[in-house]
Amino acid sequence: MQLEINIIDAFTDTLFKGNSAAVIVTYTWLDDALMQSIASENNLSETAFIVADGKGVYHIRWFSPLTEIDFCGHATLAAAYVLFNKNSNVQSINFSAKAVGILTVAKTDSGKMQMDFPNRMPERIDEIPDSLLAGLSIVPAEVYRNTQAYFVIYDSESDVLNVARDNEKLKQLAPYDVVVTCQATSEKYHDYDFVSRYFWPANGGDEDPVTGSIHTGLAPLWAKRLAKNELVAYQASSRGGVLDCTVADDRVLISGNAVQYLTGFITVEE
């Protein structure tokens, strides 16, 4: 069986930046084990599998090299990019995912794609897990948590950029991942409101280049702290990525660019 595969760099307008995701569209779901094997072979942060229901909705599932993921923003952006290219007259796409419901992605006048996600504002915690403190070389100023991750607040960009981590310690926080973040204040990041990095040894690997899903928590957190609902975020991985965020009550709108890296076919046994 041959399957078309597209690899897209998401949250960037420059090839080899942002976060790469593979996108595979099929008529029916492949076996779960096969989807996991394909994702492991791809060895990208995520591989998105899509099946249309014939009623205008695309069901989507996301797999990291290690496991199926409940919610992935950058692979949703990549999937929308592929589908928009296949259907140039379409202005919006509805995805459906078990954990987060209907996700709408729309073209914008700026040329970016805007994703409509649930607001997953984290809550502050006072009892910080020992594994989190031991897993990071710099002590947090504050810690929050939502259903996805621990949110570590630092006082400076240098802390976010230079923090060292112990992946074995952070794995003990499973099923939670870890995002470190601070307000953007330096000249280097003057175009942005906040910066972050995302570590997910429990669910995907070492450091994720750009993470759309975590900004459904980061954006409302910083919107409250900065008293503004429209923010521009930079994820400061080695590849880097830019996310435009709008917080609107119980929704978070996240916009970004994407560029095509590869189109090809993979051959697997049915």
Side-chain angles (χ1 to χ4, degrees):
M1 175 174 56
Q2 281 199 325
L3 301 171
E4 181 181 292
I5 184 170
N6 288 272
I7 297 180
I8 310 298
D9 290 343
F11 292 118
T12 181
D13 56 8
T14 305
L15 198 61
F16 309 125
K17 297 293 185 180
N19 200 357
S20 295
V23 179
I24 296 173
V25 183
T26 57
Y27 292 105
T28 59
W29 290 117
L30 303 175
D31 180 78
D32 285 9
L34 177 57
M35 288 190 285
Q36 184 61 69
S37 294
I38 291 171
S40 298
E41 184 79 4
N42 289 339
N43 201 32
L44 300 171
S45 292
E46 305 288 348
T47 297
F49 295 89
I50 305 167
V51 174
D53 68 357
K55 300 177 182 178
V57 175
Y58 292 90
H59 295 266
I60 186 168
R61 294 171 67 180
W62 308 278
F63 288 78
S64 81
L66 299 182
T67 188
E68 184 170 7
I69 300 297
D70 285 343
F71 177 32
C72 176
H74 88 277
T76 303
L77 192 72
Y81 179 89
V82 170
L83 293 174
F84 281 136
N85 281 350
K86 291 180 179 294
N87 305 276
S88 59
N89 294 327
V90 172
Q91 295 300 308
S92 66
I93 293 169
N94 289 325
F95 292 102
S96 176
K98 183 177 180 180
V100 288
I102 296 294
L103 308 172
T104 300
V105 185
K107 295 178 181 178
T108 68
D109 293 339
S110 69
K112 294 183 178 182
M113 293 168 288
Q114 184 181 76
M115 300 179 288
D116 184 343
F117 290 150
N119 183 323
R120 304 205 300 178
M121 175 77 170
E123 295 183 358
R124 183 167 179 172
I125 63 170
D126 295 321
E127 295 184 9
I128 303 173
D130 292 339
S131 297
L132 181 60
L133 294 173
L136 298 173
S137 63
I138 300 174
V139 176
E142 301 173 53
V143 177
Y144 293 73
R145 193 182 71 189
N146 69 4
T147 57
Q148 180 176 356
Y150 287 95
F151 291 65
V152 172
I153 309 296
Y154 283 133
D155 293 324
S156 70
E157 293 158 358
S158 63
D159 287 348
V160 171
L161 298 176
N162 296 320
V163 63
R165 61 197 176 278
D166 183 330
N167 282 344
E168 293 306 312
K169 293 288 194 306
L170 296 185
K171 280 182 181 179
Q172 296 173 19
L173 298 171
Y176 300 103
D177 297 317
V178 177
V179 61
V180 296
T181 185
C182 72
Q183 182 180 356
T185 57
S186 71
E187 180 61 27
K188 179 178 180 180
Y189 296 112
H190 71 276
D191 290 332
Y192 312 111
D193 293 292
F194 64 91
V195 298
S196 68
R197 294 171 66 198
Y198 188 80
F199 312 132
W200 64 325
N203 291 299
D206 187 19
E207 179 173 355
D208 195 39
V210 193
T211 316
S213 59
I214 201 62
H215 284 77
T216 64
L218 284 169
L221 178 64
W222 284 110
K224 183 176 181 180
R225 295 171 77 95
L226 300 177
K228 57 189 301 188
N229 288 333
E230 294 190 2
L231 308 101
V232 182
Y234 183 74
Q235 192 157 333
S237 66
S238 59
R239 291 175 63 98
V242 179
L243 309 92
D244 294 341
C245 306
T246 300
V247 180
D249 298 324
D250 63 345
R251 308 299 294 179
V252 176
L253 308 178
I254 299 176
S255 303
N257 290 306
V259 292
Q260 184 95 30
Y261 170 65
L262 177 148
T263 300
F265 293 90
I266 59 176
T267 303
V268 296
E269 294 184 2
E270 296 187 56

